[in-house]
């Protein structure tokens, strides 16, 4: 089975801090994604990557950046955390060009910015 | 315009009964894929079922089936013989175009509560 591991289940940070959320997958997937999930809004795509060192903006990239130095690892960076970035963050991966394209998700990180 | 619409914020179903969760989608692509995911209170997103736009038969996976009506652009999830463990958020999602980077668009979700 595909395993997507997010480094923290719960995280509390302060306004203005630089925050790193890490995600690792073990199935050699090319595609990796970062979403944030807020009540009533579903999942919104922040950034995705289809190859090492490649990144594409999603629907809500403002205030975030990403890094993909290795195929299995995709990091989300909050450059200067703000309270409106308090949310659930979900990482996912999928196989490029697969017949279905199903994404496999990690357990999520509940981030609180105080 | 929303690409995925789930109009039921919450649904209740009696244990052992069947329930249908609604999903409509909007795309001009001929090739696309439709997905349903389950999210228990613990937070992980669990892939349930997939329907390709060219698939002629409705997808089924155990107690889950996808009622695919292409002309109406609907992809409703049917859960048969509901169990208490089915209580969760359910998300409908769509991939547009051929598979590749496989970006998905998600609906806002339906919270299903199974009543004993």
């Amino acid at each position: 089975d595909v395993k997507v591991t997010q480094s923290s289940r719960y995280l509390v940070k302060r306004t203005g801090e630089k925050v790193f959320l890490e995600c690792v997958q073990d199935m050699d997937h090319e595609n990796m994604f970062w979403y944030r999930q807020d009540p009533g809004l579903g999942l919104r795509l922040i950034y995705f990557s289809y190859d090492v060192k490649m990144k594409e903006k999603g629907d809500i990239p403002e205030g975030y950046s990403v890094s993909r130095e290795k195929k299995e690892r995709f990091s989300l960076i909050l450059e200067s955390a703000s309270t409106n970035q308090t949310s659930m963050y979900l990482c996912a991966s999928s196989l490029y060009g697969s017949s279905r394209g199903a994404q496999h998700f990690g357990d999520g990180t509940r981030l609180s910015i105080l | 315009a929303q690409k995925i619409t789930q109009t039921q914020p919450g649904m209740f179903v009696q244990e052992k009964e069947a329930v249908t969760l609604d999903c409509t989608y909007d795309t001009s692509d001929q090739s696309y894929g439709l997905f349903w995911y389950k999210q228990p209170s613990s937070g992980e997103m669990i892939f349930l079922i997939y329907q390709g736009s060219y698939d002629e038969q409705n997808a089924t996976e155990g107690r889950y089936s996808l009622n695919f009506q292409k002309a109406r652009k609907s992809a409703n999830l049917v859960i048969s013989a509901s169990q208490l463990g089915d209580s969760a958020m359910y998300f409908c999602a769509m991939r547009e175009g051929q598979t590749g980077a496989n970006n998905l668009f998600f609906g806002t979700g339906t919270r299903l509560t199974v009543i004993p």
Side-chain angles (χ1 to χ4, degrees):
Chain A
D1 279 353
V2 176
K3 183 68 174 176
V4 179
T5 303
Q6 294 183 229
S7 53
S8 305
R9 290 299 302 272
Y10 301 93
L11 204 55
V12 180
K13 296 291 183 180
R14 297 216 172 266
T15 304
E17 280 192 68
K18 190 169 187 176
V19 180
F20 293 85
L21 302 183
E22 305 287 345
C23 176
V24 177
Q25 50 93 6
D26 67 357
M27 282 302 291
D28 205 33
H29 284 172
E30 294 85 359
N31 302 325
M32 295 190 75
F33 308 82
W34 275 107
Y35 295 91
R36 67 176 281 176
Q37 181 182 6
D38 300 289
L41 297 178
L43 276 72
R44 293 179 292 167
L45 182 66
I46 305 171
Y47 269 97
F48 68 100
S49 168
Y50 54 88
D51 201 354
V52 176
K53 297 191 185 296
M54 304 298 290
K55 60 184 179 183
E56 295 284 343
K57 291 181 180 179
D59 299 321
I60 51 164
E62 297 79 18
Y64 303 94
S65 63
V66 290
S67 172
R68 190 149 182 219
E69 297 296 319
K70 294 184 178 181
K71 192 175 185 179
E72 67 271 18
R73 186 180 298 270
F74 193 35
S75 302
L76 179 70
I77 304 156
L78 285 65
E79 298 290 344
S80 178
S82 65
T83 55
N84 63 12
Q85 292 178 310
T86 291
S87 187
M88 171 74 142
Y89 291 86
L90 289 161
C91 174
S93 73
S94 70
L95 191 63
Y96 189 95
S98 71
S99 60
R100 295 183 170 191
Q103 293 183 9
H104 302 269
F105 284 81
D107 290 343
T109 296
R110 294 188 187 274
L111 175 64
S112 295
I113 307 296
L114 303 179
Chain B
Q2 293 288 332
K3 289 191 178 288
I4 294 288
T5 302
Q6 293 181 255
T7 57
Q8 305 155 316
M11 289 282 287
F12 291 87
V13 64
Q14 204 75 37
E15 194 178 5
K16 300 180 184 176
E17 299 289 315
V19 63
T20 298
L21 306 183
D22 294 342
C23 173
T24 57
Y25 60 92
D26 182 24
T27 182
S28 56
D29 286 357
Q30 295 301 308
S31 177
Y32 53 89
L34 297 157
F35 303 79
W36 277 93
Y37 284 85
K38 172 184 178 182
Q39 187 181 42
S41 57
S42 51
E44 74 273 25
M45 294 281 283
I46 302 166
F47 166 65
L48 295 178
I49 195 166
Y50 168 82
Q51 179 86 39
S53 58
Y54 295 119
D55 296 340
E56 294 188 351
Q57 294 198 342
N58 287 342
T60 60
E61 293 284 349
R63 293 186 300 110
Y64 304 108
S65 60
L66 198 153
N67 184 0
F68 181 45
Q69 297 187 45
K70 199 169 184 176
R72 297 180 60 187
K73 294 190 173 179
S74 75
N76 298 340
L77 177 70
V78 181
I79 305 174
S80 63
S82 296
Q83 303 172 355
L84 295 178
D86 294 334
S87 292
M89 283 288 288
Y90 289 82
F91 290 95
C92 180
M94 176 177 67
R95 182 208 74 240
E96 286 185 309
Q98 298 290 335
T99 60
N102 298 332
N103 186 17
L104 295 184
F105 298 95
F106 284 83
T108 53
T110 296
R111 181 172 298 281
L112 177 67
T113 303
V114 180
I115 304 166

